[in-house]
Amino acid sequence: KQQERIIMGLFYNNNEAGSGVAKRGRQKKPFFRFWEMFANKFWTFFKINLIYVLFCLPIVTFGPATAAMTALMRNIYLEKPQFVFHDFWQAFKKNFKQSFVIGLMDIWFIVMAVFSFFFFTSNMNDTDKPYWLYYAMVMAVEIIILLMNFYIFPQIVALNLRLPQILKNSFILAFLNIKGNLITLAAFLVYIALLGMFFFPLVFLIPLLPIAWLSFLAMFTSYPAIQKFIINPFYEQQGLKNPELPDYDDDDEEVLFEDRGGEEAPMKIKKQDRGGKVIKKKKSNGRQDGGFMFFVPDQGEGAAKVIVILLKILMLIGTTIFCLCFGILGPICIWIGEYDPAVTGNPAIVTWLVT
């Protein structure tokens, strides 16, 4: 209980009870549902990102690590409870064979993409051969492979299919789910472009972000297509309903009680009278009923209150230092420093850092 009060006190006020949660509440639109899930799992993404980077350090484990992260993102998308490290490790071992092969293929394609970029850009002025056409063809293939990866790893962790079947399905889905593919592809290309322009600032942030963010976005846009074209038809052939779908219910069963979550009147929890003499202090800024209040009224009690306040102070200090370094000192150094002419005094770089 004390641990729950410490964690929940960071963001929520537990002094009031809400109206409950409807069992079959109205499904939100994808845009709002995405940002709601993103906000709820914001700190979880940092943990997943860090674990993923650590497991990718041997490089050859890139594939199994990606499959494990994809399994966690699938659980988040389906709103299933999970233990981050335990489930990551279990998915890493379970999907090792297929994902290891895909990982080696992806590493080879990444190396070829980088090599082709430097080779074709250095020979673009050669008029004897249409290098721009060759480069466009290579990039088209690389983009198709990237789109396929949005579906390969979710199928590895969710379905029991052979690798050729997974590759075939992924190639088809890369052209079917156009809207979702364009959204995810745009996010990936923007990040790659930023990484190319601001390599050193962003490379130090890779252990914390944004790989997990991009993985969740890819899962959110690609998994509905996998459900629609692969999983749902399978269950329909069996005369069953897909249990992953949010509208899955059991209307055929006898109903004993009616769930009225979401319809109850909000209830205010009365403070317990612990007896004894009560000394009321004068209210002032930052205080409520004589108790220290920092962002939220419920801080816990005793050691819990101290820990919560210390955590929040450390968070403010860390955020302030980060903003000072990247938002003020960074632009000043770049603006007045003697760096490459393309960097020194570049308004775009300064604006990005300030933002």
Side-chain angles (χ1 to χ4, degrees):
K1 290 290 185 179
Q2 193 74 349
Q3 291 178 346
E4 291 178 1
R5 296 190 69 177
I6 294 173
I7 297 173
M8 298 300 290
L10 288 169
F11 302 102
Y12 303 103
N13 179 10
N14 297 326
N15 289 331
E16 295 185 2
S19 58
V21 179
K23 182 178 180 180
R24 300 182 182 92
R26 183 179 179 183
Q27 185 72 11
K28 296 182 179 179
K29 293 184 178 180
F31 178 82
F32 299 103
R33 183 167 176 253
F34 171 83
W35 289 111
E36 181 182 32
M37 297 174 72
F38 182 85
N40 291 337
K41 300 296 180 180
F42 182 79
W43 300 110
T44 304
F45 290 142
F46 284 93
K47 293 189 290 184
I48 296 174
N49 202 115
L50 180 59
I51 296 172
Y52 173 76
V53 172
L54 293 176
F55 273 75
C56 284
L57 288 180
I59 299 179
V60 293
T61 58
F62 166 78
T66 304
M69 180 174 62
T70 303
L72 296 186
M73 296 304 167
R74 175 174 173 266
N75 290 337
I76 293 175
Y77 174 78
L78 297 176
E79 301 183 41
K80 291 183 177 181
Q82 62 182 351
F83 297 96
V84 174
F85 184 80
H86 176 268
D87 289 1
F88 188 97
W89 176 241
Q90 294 298 322
F92 183 89
K93 295 186 296 182
K94 179 181 178 181
N95 306 290
F96 187 87
K97 289 184 178 180
Q98 290 184 330
S99 59
F100 181 76
V101 175
I102 297 297
L104 294 180
M105 295 172 60
D106 283 342
I107 293 172
W108 186 80
F109 281 116
I110 292 173
V111 172
M112 291 301 299
V114 175
F115 172 78
S116 61
F117 172 78
F118 288 105
F119 174 78
F120 287 115
T121 52
S122 61
N123 294 279
M124 198 67 69
N125 296 327
D126 190 353
T127 58
D128 295 336
K129 296 181 180 179
Y131 283 106
W132 63 270
L133 179 60
Y134 300 152
Y135 185 51
M137 295 172 63
V138 171
M139 290 305 298
V141 174
E142 295 287 348
I143 290 176
I144 293 175
I145 294 172
L146 177 61
L147 295 177
M148 291 176 61
N149 271 268
F150 298 159
Y151 302 94
I152 291 175
F153 288 101
Q155 289 184 81
I156 290 177
V157 301
L159 307 178
N160 186 20
L161 297 176
R162 294 183 178 180
L163 198 56
Q165 294 175 307
I166 293 176
L167 294 175
K168 178 184 176 182
N169 293 339
S170 302
F171 181 78
I172 296 173
L173 290 172
F175 295 94
L176 285 180
N177 187 24
I178 298 177
K179 181 180 178 181
N181 292 340
L182 290 178
I183 294 173
T184 312
L185 180 62
F188 271 80
L189 293 180
V190 167
Y191 175 67
I192 294 173
L194 291 175
L195 191 61
M197 292 187 293
F198 314 106
F199 179 78
F200 288 105
L202 291 179
V203 74
F204 291 107
L205 297 177
I206 288 179
L208 296 178
L209 55 95
I211 301 175
W213 296 355
L214 295 173
S215 177
F216 176 67
L217 176 62
M219 175 61 64
F220 195 89
T221 56
S222 64
Y223 200 71
I226 295 175
Q227 289 179 320
K228 178 179 179 181
F229 295 105
I230 300 177
I231 300 178
N232 293 349
F234 170 79
Y235 280 101
E236 290 173 0
Q237 291 178 358
Q238 307 296 323
L240 303 172
K241 294 180 181 179
N242 183 3
E244 294 180 346
L245 296 180
D247 59 348
Y248 179 78
D249 54 42
D250 39 8
D251 294 333
D252 296 336
E253 297 183 3
E254 183 181 358
V255 178
L256 300 179
F257 299 98
E258 182 181 358
D259 190 341
R260 302 195 63 184
E263 300 177 5
E264 301 175 4
M267 178 182 63
K268 291 187 177 181
I269 302 176
K270 296 182 179 180
K271 295 182 179 180
Q272 296 180 355
D273 185 7
R274 300 184 179 180
K277 186 177 180 180
V278 178
I279 301 176
K280 294 185 178 180
K281 296 182 180 180
K282 185 178 180 181
K283 296 182 180 180
S284 60
N285 293 334
R287 292 180 177 271
Q288 182 177 3
D289 295 334
F292 184 79
M293 185 178 70
F294 190 59
F295 294 153
V296 294
D298 186 10
Q299 302 288 347
E301 299 176 358
K305 179 186 292 187
V306 177
I307 293 174
V308 171
I309 295 173
L310 289 177
L311 286 174
K312 293 179 179 178
I313 293 175
L314 290 175
M315 181 179 66
L316 287 176
I317 294 174
T319 306
T320 303
I321 294 174
F322 184 85
C323 292
L324 285 175
C325 292
F326 283 88
I328 298 177
L329 301 181
I332 292 175
C333 293
I334 289 179
W335 191 266
I336 65 176
E338 296 180 358
Y339 301 104
D340 189 289
V343 176
T344 304
N346 189 332
I349 295 179
V350 176
T351 302
W352 176 80
L353 285 172
V354 173
T355 305

